[in-house]
Each structure stands twice: as C-alpha cells, then as structure tokens.
Amino acid sequence: PMATRDDMDTAFKAIILPHLRAMGFKGSLPHLHRLRDGAADLLSVQFRSAGGSFVIEIGRVATNGFDSYGRHVPLAKAKTSYLNPQHRHRLGAPLSGGDHWFCFADTDAEAVAHAVIAELGRPEVWQLIDSWPILGAAPA
C-alpha cells in the first residue's frame, strides 16, 4: 500500500512522537528539544515539499540558547536549520556526514516510523552528537 502524507502524519503521532516523549523530548512537531547532560538536544522534521519523504535532523546547543548569524536564539525558538551543517546530523545518514531522506511514498508509513525509532535508538548517533562542541556554551 502506498502511504500518503496523512498516513505518515498519523504514524508520527501514533508511533514516533510517543517514542520521542519517552526519550524526554518536549515541544511540538516539527521542532522538539530535550535537556540532557547540561545541554539541549534539538530535533527537527522537514517534509519534502514535493511529498513522499522527510528528513529528521538532530543537533546539540546550550540550554540558554546560542548565537546564529549575529543574534541570540533562545532554546524555545531553536531549530536545527539554524545550525551549520557540521553541527547537525540527519538520522539515517552515515555518521561521517551526508544526506538521508526517509521515503514513505512507496511503502508502509508504520514501517517507516519504526525505521526512525531504530535510528533514534542507535547509541553511536548520540555519541556523535555528544562529541561535538555545545553551541552557545561558554568556553571551558
């Protein structure tokens, strides 16, 4: 069965969002965050305008926000799109960097949702995020 955007939205609300909440993420789609180890993890979802796929990007910033293009961005308004590409990771992409889109147009939306959850559960993804400097943090 071919999944529609509505099917994927339903799978996000039923499967992915409860999992993110269990992981400690707050906020509402498409931009969520969680406090962890003295910093904040950001997570943003972006659907392709043409339909059929989406990306999920994660990054890490200081709990009091960070500066982007000369202005301060508080945590409540932080989005991964404000981060330089070397300070964000696309779930599903190689840890060395690169692009990945979760495609749902020609598959089952629930299967795609479970693939997202599998990526969120990979310890090496969070080890990568933790290895980066925390944007906005005072130098040690």
PDB file of all heavy atoms in Angstrom, residues 15-47:
ATOM      1  N   ILE A  15       3.234   6.724  16.674  1.00  0.00           N
ATOM      2  CA  ILE A  15       4.425   5.893  16.914  1.00  0.00           C
ATOM      3  C   ILE A  15       5.649   6.723  17.282  1.00  0.00           C
ATOM      4  O   ILE A  15       6.271   6.501  18.320  1.00  0.00           O
ATOM      5  CB  ILE A  15       4.724   5.015  15.672  1.00  0.00           C
ATOM      6  CG1 ILE A  15       3.521   4.098  15.389  1.00  0.00           C
ATOM      7  CG2 ILE A  15       6.002   4.207  15.867  1.00  0.00           C
ATOM      8  CD1 ILE A  15       3.582   3.391  14.055  1.00  0.00           C
ATOM      9  N   ILE A  16       6.012   7.691  16.437  1.00  0.00           N
ATOM     10  CA  ILE A  16       7.271   8.421  16.635  1.00  0.00           C
ATOM     11  C   ILE A  16       7.164   9.401  17.803  1.00  0.00           C
ATOM     12  O   ILE A  16       8.046   9.440  18.667  1.00  0.00           O
ATOM     13  CB  ILE A  16       7.706   9.139  15.340  1.00  0.00           C
ATOM     14  CG1 ILE A  16       7.951   8.110  14.227  1.00  0.00           C
ATOM     15  CG2 ILE A  16       8.956   9.979  15.596  1.00  0.00           C
ATOM     16  CD1 ILE A  16       8.191   8.711  12.853  1.00  0.00           C
ATOM     17  N   LEU A  17       6.118  10.209  17.843  1.00  0.00           N
ATOM     18  CA  LEU A  17       6.012  11.231  18.888  1.00  0.00           C
ATOM     19  C   LEU A  17       5.960  10.624  20.299  1.00  0.00           C
ATOM     20  O   LEU A  17       6.693  11.087  21.178  1.00  0.00           O
ATOM     21  CB  LEU A  17       4.819  12.147  18.617  1.00  0.00           C
ATOM     22  CG  LEU A  17       4.850  13.497  19.330  1.00  0.00           C
ATOM     23  CD1 LEU A  17       6.156  14.245  19.083  1.00  0.00           C
ATOM     24  CD2 LEU A  17       3.672  14.350  18.888  1.00  0.00           C
ATOM     25  N   PRO A  18       5.170   9.565  20.542  1.00  0.00           N
ATOM     26  CA  PRO A  18       5.213   8.961  21.882  1.00  0.00           C
ATOM     27  C   PRO A  18       6.615   8.448  22.239  1.00  0.00           C
ATOM     28  O   PRO A  18       7.039   8.542  23.397  1.00  0.00           O
ATOM     29  CB  PRO A  18       4.203   7.812  21.798  1.00  0.00           C
ATOM     30  CG  PRO A  18       3.259   8.216  20.710  1.00  0.00           C
ATOM     31  CD  PRO A  18       4.109   8.982  19.727  1.00  0.00           C
ATOM     32  N   HIS A  19       7.333   7.919  21.257  1.00  0.00           N
ATOM     33  CA  HIS A  19       8.704   7.452  21.498  1.00  0.00           C
ATOM     34  C   HIS A  19       9.615   8.628  21.863  1.00  0.00           C
ATOM     35  O   HIS A  19      10.415   8.531  22.800  1.00  0.00           O
ATOM     36  CB  HIS A  19       9.233   6.713  20.264  1.00  0.00           C
ATOM     37  CG  HIS A  19      10.562   6.081  20.482  1.00  0.00           C
ATOM     38  ND1 HIS A  19      10.715   4.885  21.135  1.00  0.00           N
ATOM     39  CD2 HIS A  19      11.806   6.500  20.152  1.00  0.00           C
ATOM     40  CE1 HIS A  19      12.012   4.592  21.207  1.00  0.00           C
ATOM     41  NE2 HIS A  19      12.693   5.552  20.611  1.00  0.00           N
ATOM     42  N   LEU A  20       9.486   9.738  21.135  1.00  0.00           N
ATOM     43  CA  LEU A  20      10.290  10.924  21.444  1.00  0.00           C
ATOM     44  C   LEU A  20       9.956  11.457  22.833  1.00  0.00           C
ATOM     45  O   LEU A  20      10.847  11.863  23.586  1.00  0.00           O
ATOM     46  CB  LEU A  20      10.081  12.008  20.378  1.00  0.00           C
ATOM     47  CG  LEU A  20      10.696  11.709  19.015  1.00  0.00           C
ATOM     48  CD1 LEU A  20      10.224  12.723  17.981  1.00  0.00           C
ATOM     49  CD2 LEU A  20      12.219  11.695  19.092  1.00  0.00           C
ATOM     50  N   ARG A  21       8.682  11.459  23.198  1.00  0.00           N
ATOM     51  CA  ARG A  21       8.275  11.905  24.539  1.00  0.00           C
ATOM     52  C   ARG A  21       8.920  11.003  25.597  1.00  0.00           C
ATOM     53  O   ARG A  21       9.405  11.489  26.624  1.00  0.00           O
ATOM     54  CB  ARG A  21       6.755  11.873  24.692  1.00  0.00           C
ATOM     55  CG  ARG A  21       6.031  12.814  23.765  1.00  0.00           C
ATOM     56  CD  ARG A  21       5.927  14.218  24.322  1.00  0.00           C
ATOM     57  NE  ARG A  21       5.144  15.069  23.442  1.00  0.00           N
ATOM     58  CZ  ARG A  21       5.627  16.139  22.816  1.00  0.00           C
ATOM     59  NH1 ARG A  21       6.876  16.514  22.985  1.00  0.00           N
ATOM     60  NH2 ARG A  21       4.855  16.863  22.042  1.00  0.00           N
ATOM     61  N   ALA A  22       8.918   9.691  25.350  1.00  0.00           N
ATOM     62  CA  ALA A  22       9.532   8.744  26.288  1.00  0.00           C
ATOM     63  C   ALA A  22      11.036   8.991  26.410  1.00  0.00           C
ATOM     64  O   ALA A  22      11.633   8.730  27.458  1.00  0.00           O
ATOM     65  CB  ALA A  22       9.255   7.304  25.851  1.00  0.00           C
ATOM     66  N   MET A  23      11.648   9.504  25.341  1.00  0.00           N
ATOM     67  CA  MET A  23      13.076   9.848  25.362  1.00  0.00           C
ATOM     68  C   MET A  23      13.326  11.189  26.055  1.00  0.00           C
ATOM     69  O   MET A  23      14.470  11.592  26.223  1.00  0.00           O
ATOM     70  CB  MET A  23      13.641   9.909  23.929  1.00  0.00           C
ATOM     71  CG  MET A  23      13.714   8.580  23.213  1.00  0.00           C
ATOM     72  SD  MET A  23      14.306   8.776  21.489  1.00  0.00           S
ATOM     73  CE  MET A  23      16.040   9.221  21.756  1.00  0.00           C
ATOM     74  N   GLY A  24      12.260  11.916  26.376  1.00  0.00           N
ATOM     75  CA  GLY A  24      12.403  13.184  27.079  1.00  0.00           C
ATOM     76  C   GLY A  24      12.236  14.420  26.217  1.00  0.00           C
ATOM     77  O   GLY A  24      12.444  15.540  26.693  1.00  0.00           O
ATOM     78  N   PHE A  25      11.865  14.252  24.944  1.00  0.00           N
ATOM     79  CA  PHE A  25      11.711  15.412  24.067  1.00  0.00           C
ATOM     80  C   PHE A  25      10.416  16.143  24.375  1.00  0.00           C
ATOM     81  O   PHE A  25       9.380  15.529  24.612  1.00  0.00           O
ATOM     82  CB  PHE A  25      11.742  14.998  22.594  1.00  0.00           C
ATOM     83  CG  PHE A  25      13.131  14.775  22.075  1.00  0.00           C
ATOM     84  CD1 PHE A  25      13.714  13.514  22.124  1.00  0.00           C
ATOM     85  CD2 PHE A  25      13.866  15.828  21.548  1.00  0.00           C
ATOM     86  CE1 PHE A  25      15.011  13.302  21.660  1.00  0.00           C
ATOM     87  CE2 PHE A  25      15.154  15.623  21.089  1.00  0.00           C
ATOM     88  CZ  PHE A  25      15.731  14.362  21.140  1.00  0.00           C
ATOM     89  N   LYS A  26      10.504  17.480  24.357  1.00  0.00           N
ATOM     90  CA  LYS A  26       9.355  18.352  24.582  1.00  0.00           C
ATOM     91  C   LYS A  26       9.178  19.227  23.341  1.00  0.00           C
ATOM     92  O   LYS A  26      10.028  19.256  22.476  1.00  0.00           O
ATOM     93  CB  LYS A  26       9.604  19.238  25.809  1.00  0.00           C
ATOM     94  CG  LYS A  26       9.738  18.454  27.113  1.00  0.00           C
ATOM     95  CD  LYS A  26      10.043  19.391  28.262  1.00  0.00           C
ATOM     96  CE  LYS A  26      10.102  18.757  29.617  1.00  0.00           C
ATOM     97  NZ  LYS A  26      10.103  17.339  29.750  1.00  0.00           N
ATOM     98  N   GLY A  27       8.075  19.963  23.314  1.00  0.00           N
ATOM     99  CA  GLY A  27       7.796  20.817  22.173  1.00  0.00           C
ATOM    100  C   GLY A  27       6.783  20.137  21.278  1.00  0.00           C
ATOM    101  O   GLY A  27       6.166  19.142  21.644  1.00  0.00           O
ATOM    102  N   SER A  28       6.615  20.705  20.095  1.00  0.00           N
ATOM    103  CA  SER A  28       5.658  20.127  19.157  1.00  0.00           C
ATOM    104  C   SER A  28       6.314  20.040  17.781  1.00  0.00           C
ATOM    105  O   SER A  28       7.233  20.786  17.466  1.00  0.00           O
ATOM    106  CB  SER A  28       4.390  20.979  19.103  1.00  0.00           C
ATOM    107  OG  SER A  28       4.704  22.308  18.768  1.00  0.00           O
ATOM    108  N   LEU A  29       5.822  19.090  16.990  1.00  0.00           N
ATOM    109  CA  LEU A  29       6.363  18.932  15.640  1.00  0.00           C
ATOM    110  C   LEU A  29       6.150  20.231  14.870  1.00  0.00           C
ATOM    111  O   LEU A  29       5.135  20.877  15.051  1.00  0.00           O
ATOM    112  CB  LEU A  29       5.662  17.773  14.932  1.00  0.00           C
ATOM    113  CG  LEU A  29       6.021  16.387  15.489  1.00  0.00           C
ATOM    114  CD1 LEU A  29       5.100  15.332  14.912  1.00  0.00           C
ATOM    115  CD2 LEU A  29       7.469  16.043  15.170  1.00  0.00           C
ATOM    116  N   PRO A  30       7.105  20.640  14.050  1.00  0.00           N
ATOM    117  CA  PRO A  30       8.277  19.885  13.619  1.00  0.00           C
ATOM    118  C   PRO A  30       9.552  20.096  14.457  1.00  0.00           C
ATOM    119  O   PRO A  30      10.574  19.520  14.123  1.00  0.00           O
ATOM    120  CB  PRO A  30       8.499  20.398  12.191  1.00  0.00           C
ATOM    121  CG  PRO A  30       8.077  21.837  12.269  1.00  0.00           C
ATOM    122  CD  PRO A  30       6.913  21.845  13.257  1.00  0.00           C
ATOM    123  N   HIS A  31       9.505  20.895  15.527  1.00  0.00           N
ATOM    124  CA  HIS A  31      10.732  21.196  16.284  1.00  0.00           C
ATOM    125  C   HIS A  31      10.576  20.793  17.743  1.00  0.00           C
ATOM    126  O   HIS A  31       9.693  21.307  18.433  1.00  0.00           O
ATOM    127  CB  HIS A  31      11.071  22.684  16.186  1.00  0.00           C
ATOM    128  CG  HIS A  31      11.191  23.170  14.779  1.00  0.00           C
ATOM    129  ND1 HIS A  31      12.215  22.792  13.942  1.00  0.00           N
ATOM    130  CD2 HIS A  31      10.393  23.969  14.041  1.00  0.00           C
ATOM    131  CE1 HIS A  31      12.049  23.353  12.757  1.00  0.00           C
ATOM    132  NE2 HIS A  31      10.942  24.064  12.795  1.00  0.00           N
ATOM    133  N   LEU A  32      11.437  19.880  18.184  1.00  0.00           N
ATOM    134  CA  LEU A  32      11.410  19.418  19.566  1.00  0.00           C
ATOM    135  C   LEU A  32      12.795  19.571  20.179  1.00  0.00           C
ATOM    136  O   LEU A  32      13.785  19.719  19.454  1.00  0.00           O
ATOM    137  CB  LEU A  32      10.974  17.950  19.629  1.00  0.00           C
ATOM    138  CG  LEU A  32       9.574  17.672  19.089  1.00  0.00           C
ATOM    139  CD1 LEU A  32       9.673  16.935  17.771  1.00  0.00           C
ATOM    140  CD2 LEU A  32       8.777  16.869  20.065  1.00  0.00           C
ATOM    141  N   HIS A  33      12.839  19.511  21.507  1.00  0.00           N
ATOM    142  CA  HIS A  33      14.126  19.564  22.200  1.00  0.00           C
ATOM    143  C   HIS A  33      14.029  18.801  23.514  1.00  0.00           C
ATOM    144  O   HIS A  33      12.923  18.547  24.008  1.00  0.00           O
ATOM    145  CB  HIS A  33      14.562  21.017  22.459  1.00  0.00           C
ATOM    146  CG  HIS A  33      13.705  21.716  23.464  1.00  0.00           C
ATOM    147  ND1 HIS A  33      12.534  22.363  23.102  1.00  0.00           N
ATOM    148  CD2 HIS A  33      13.802  21.848  24.808  1.00  0.00           C
ATOM    149  CE1 HIS A  33      11.975  22.872  24.184  1.00  0.00           C
ATOM    150  NE2 HIS A  33      12.715  22.574  25.244  1.00  0.00           N
ATOM    151  N   ARG A  34      15.173  18.417  24.041  1.00  0.00           N
ATOM    152  CA  ARG A  34      15.223  17.814  25.371  1.00  0.00           C
ATOM    153  C   ARG A  34      16.499  18.257  26.055  1.00  0.00           C
ATOM    154  O   ARG A  34      17.523  18.495  25.405  1.00  0.00           O
ATOM    155  CB  ARG A  34      15.156  16.292  25.324  1.00  0.00           C
ATOM    156  CG  ARG A  34      16.420  15.641  24.785  1.00  0.00           C
ATOM    157  CD  ARG A  34      16.402  14.144  24.927  1.00  0.00           C
ATOM    158  NE  ARG A  34      17.574  13.580  24.248  1.00  0.00           N
ATOM    159  CZ  ARG A  34      17.798  12.292  24.134  1.00  0.00           C
ATOM    160  NH1 ARG A  34      16.947  11.415  24.627  1.00  0.00           N
ATOM    161  NH2 ARG A  34      18.881  11.854  23.512  1.00  0.00           N
ATOM    162  N   LEU A  35      16.429  18.374  27.384  1.00  0.00           N
ATOM    163  CA  LEU A  35      17.604  18.705  28.168  1.00  0.00           C
ATOM    164  C   LEU A  35      18.295  17.401  28.541  1.00  0.00           C
ATOM    165  O   LEU A  35      17.643  16.439  28.934  1.00  0.00           O
ATOM    166  CB  LEU A  35      17.210  19.483  29.425  1.00  0.00           C
ATOM    167  CG  LEU A  35      16.438  20.779  29.158  1.00  0.00           C
ATOM    168  CD1 LEU A  35      16.129  21.488  30.468  1.00  0.00           C
ATOM    169  CD2 LEU A  35      17.215  21.699  28.228  1.00  0.00           C
ATOM    170  N   ARG A  36      19.619  17.369  28.357  1.00  0.00           N
ATOM    171  CA  ARG A  36      20.389  16.161  28.655  1.00  0.00           C
ATOM    172  C   ARG A  36      21.826  16.547  28.930  1.00  0.00           C
ATOM    173  O   ARG A  36      22.457  17.239  28.146  1.00  0.00           O
ATOM    174  CB  ARG A  36      20.310  15.195  27.456  1.00  0.00           C
ATOM    175  CG  ARG A  36      21.030  13.880  27.659  1.00  0.00           C
ATOM    176  CD  ARG A  36      20.800  12.918  26.481  1.00  0.00           C
ATOM    177  NE  ARG A  36      21.277  13.445  25.208  1.00  0.00           N
ATOM    178  CZ  ARG A  36      22.533  13.252  24.748  1.00  0.00           C
ATOM    179  NH1 ARG A  36      23.410  12.582  25.432  1.00  0.00           N
ATOM    180  NH2 ARG A  36      22.889  13.772  23.587  1.00  0.00           N
ATOM    181  N   ASP A  37      22.343  16.107  30.055  1.00  0.00           N
ATOM    182  CA  ASP A  37      23.753  16.298  30.405  1.00  0.00           C
ATOM    183  C   ASP A  37      24.206  17.747  30.272  1.00  0.00           C
ATOM    184  O   ASP A  37      25.264  18.033  29.705  1.00  0.00           O
ATOM    185  CB  ASP A  37      24.659  15.392  29.548  1.00  0.00           C
ATOM    186  CG  ASP A  37      24.382  13.910  29.784  1.00  0.00           C
ATOM    187  OD1 ASP A  37      23.880  13.570  30.866  1.00  0.00           O
ATOM    188  OD2 ASP A  37      24.668  13.109  28.881  1.00  0.00           O
ATOM    189  N   GLY A  38      23.401  18.682  30.757  1.00  0.00           N
ATOM    190  CA  GLY A  38      23.794  20.079  30.772  1.00  0.00           C
ATOM    191  C   GLY A  38      23.700  20.797  29.439  1.00  0.00           C
ATOM    192  O   GLY A  38      24.188  21.915  29.299  1.00  0.00           O
ATOM    193  N   ALA A  39      23.098  20.169  28.454  1.00  0.00           N
ATOM    194  CA  ALA A  39      22.909  20.813  27.148  1.00  0.00           C
ATOM    195  C   ALA A  39      21.508  20.444  26.648  1.00  0.00           C
ATOM    196  O   ALA A  39      20.743  19.789  27.346  1.00  0.00           O
ATOM    197  CB  ALA A  39      23.984  20.370  26.151  1.00  0.00           C
ATOM    198  N   ALA A  40      21.183  20.881  25.449  1.00  0.00           N
ATOM    199  CA  ALA A  40      19.871  20.596  24.866  1.00  0.00           C
ATOM    200  C   ALA A  40      20.043  19.922  23.508  1.00  0.00           C
ATOM    201  O   ALA A  40      20.784  20.413  22.658  1.00  0.00           O
ATOM    202  CB  ALA A  40      19.071  21.886  24.709  1.00  0.00           C
ATOM    203  N   ASP A  41      19.371  18.803  23.331  1.00  0.00           N
ATOM    204  CA  ASP A  41      19.316  18.139  22.031  1.00  0.00           C
ATOM    205  C   ASP A  41      18.161  18.759  21.255  1.00  0.00           C
ATOM    206  O   ASP A  41      17.062  18.905  21.795  1.00  0.00           O
ATOM    207  CB  ASP A  41      19.044  16.640  22.181  1.00  0.00           C
ATOM    208  CG  ASP A  41      20.179  15.885  22.846  1.00  0.00           C
ATOM    209  OD1 ASP A  41      21.337  16.258  22.628  1.00  0.00           O
ATOM    210  OD2 ASP A  41      19.898  14.913  23.577  1.00  0.00           O
ATOM    211  N   LEU A  42      18.421  19.123  20.009  1.00  0.00           N
ATOM    212  CA  LEU A  42      17.369  19.623  19.114  1.00  0.00           C
ATOM    213  C   LEU A  42      17.011  18.525  18.124  1.00  0.00           C
ATOM    214  O   LEU A  42      17.870  17.754  17.703  1.00  0.00           O
ATOM    215  CB  LEU A  42      17.854  20.841  18.320  1.00  0.00           C
ATOM    216  CG  LEU A  42      18.344  22.055  19.096  1.00  0.00           C
ATOM    217  CD1 LEU A  42      18.748  23.149  18.114  1.00  0.00           C
ATOM    218  CD2 LEU A  42      17.277  22.553  20.050  1.00  0.00           C
ATOM    219  N   LEU A  43      15.752  18.481  17.726  1.00  0.00           N
ATOM    220  CA  LEU A  43      15.309  17.544  16.704  1.00  0.00           C
ATOM    221  C   LEU A  43      14.285  18.265  15.842  1.00  0.00           C
ATOM    222  O   LEU A  43      13.346  18.859  16.363  1.00  0.00           O
ATOM    223  CB  LEU A  43      14.687  16.298  17.353  1.00  0.00           C
ATOM    224  CG  LEU A  43      14.213  15.195  16.403  1.00  0.00           C
ATOM    225  CD1 LEU A  43      14.437  13.829  17.044  1.00  0.00           C
ATOM    226  CD2 LEU A  43      12.762  15.364  16.012  1.00  0.00           C
ATOM    227  N   SER A  44      14.506  18.254  14.538  1.00  0.00           N
ATOM    228  CA  SER A  44      13.596  18.914  13.602  1.00  0.00           C
ATOM    229  C   SER A  44      13.215  17.949  12.486  1.00  0.00           C
ATOM    230  O   SER A  44      14.048  17.179  12.007  1.00  0.00           O
ATOM    231  CB  SER A  44      14.244  20.155  12.982  1.00  0.00           C
ATOM    232  OG  SER A  44      14.496  21.136  13.956  1.00  0.00           O
ATOM    233  N   VAL A  45      11.957  18.022  12.082  1.00  0.00           N
ATOM    234  CA  VAL A  45      11.427  17.213  10.991  1.00  0.00           C
ATOM    235  C   VAL A  45      11.078  18.141   9.840  1.00  0.00           C
ATOM    236  O   VAL A  45      10.469  19.188  10.044  1.00  0.00           O
ATOM    237  CB  VAL A  45      10.154  16.455  11.442  1.00  0.00           C
ATOM    238  CG1 VAL A  45       9.590  15.613  10.307  1.00  0.00           C
ATOM    239  CG2 VAL A  45      10.435  15.609  12.670  1.00  0.00           C
ATOM    240  N   GLN A  46      11.480  17.753   8.639  1.00  0.00           N
ATOM    241  CA  GLN A  46      11.144  18.555   7.460  1.00  0.00           C
ATOM    242  C   GLN A  46      10.646  17.626   6.360  1.00  0.00           C
ATOM    243  O   GLN A  46      11.362  16.722   5.927  1.00  0.00           O
ATOM    244  CB  GLN A  46      12.374  19.318   6.969  1.00  0.00           C
ATOM    245  CG  GLN A  46      12.122  20.104   5.696  1.00  0.00           C
ATOM    246  CD  GLN A  46      13.424  20.604   5.056  1.00  0.00           C
ATOM    247  OE1 GLN A  46      14.471  20.611   5.671  1.00  0.00           O
ATOM    248  NE2 GLN A  46      13.323  20.990   3.805  1.00  0.00           N
ATOM    249  N   PHE A  47       9.415  17.848   5.930  1.00  0.00           N
ATOM    250  CA  PHE A  47       8.854  17.071   4.824  1.00  0.00           C
ATOM    251  C   PHE A  47       9.250  17.716   3.502  1.00  0.00           C
ATOM    252  O   PHE A  47       9.289  18.940   3.389  1.00  0.00           O
ATOM    253  CB  PHE A  47       7.325  16.993   4.934  1.00  0.00           C
ATOM    254  CG  PHE A  47       6.853  15.975   5.924  1.00  0.00           C
ATOM    255  CD1 PHE A  47       6.729  16.295   7.265  1.00  0.00           C
ATOM    256  CD2 PHE A  47       6.559  14.687   5.515  1.00  0.00           C
ATOM    257  CE1 PHE A  47       6.300  15.352   8.189  1.00  0.00           C
ATOM    258  CE2 PHE A  47       6.134  13.733   6.427  1.00  0.00           C
ATOM    259  CZ  PHE A  47       6.001  14.058   7.766  1.00  0.00           C
TER     260      PHE A  47
END
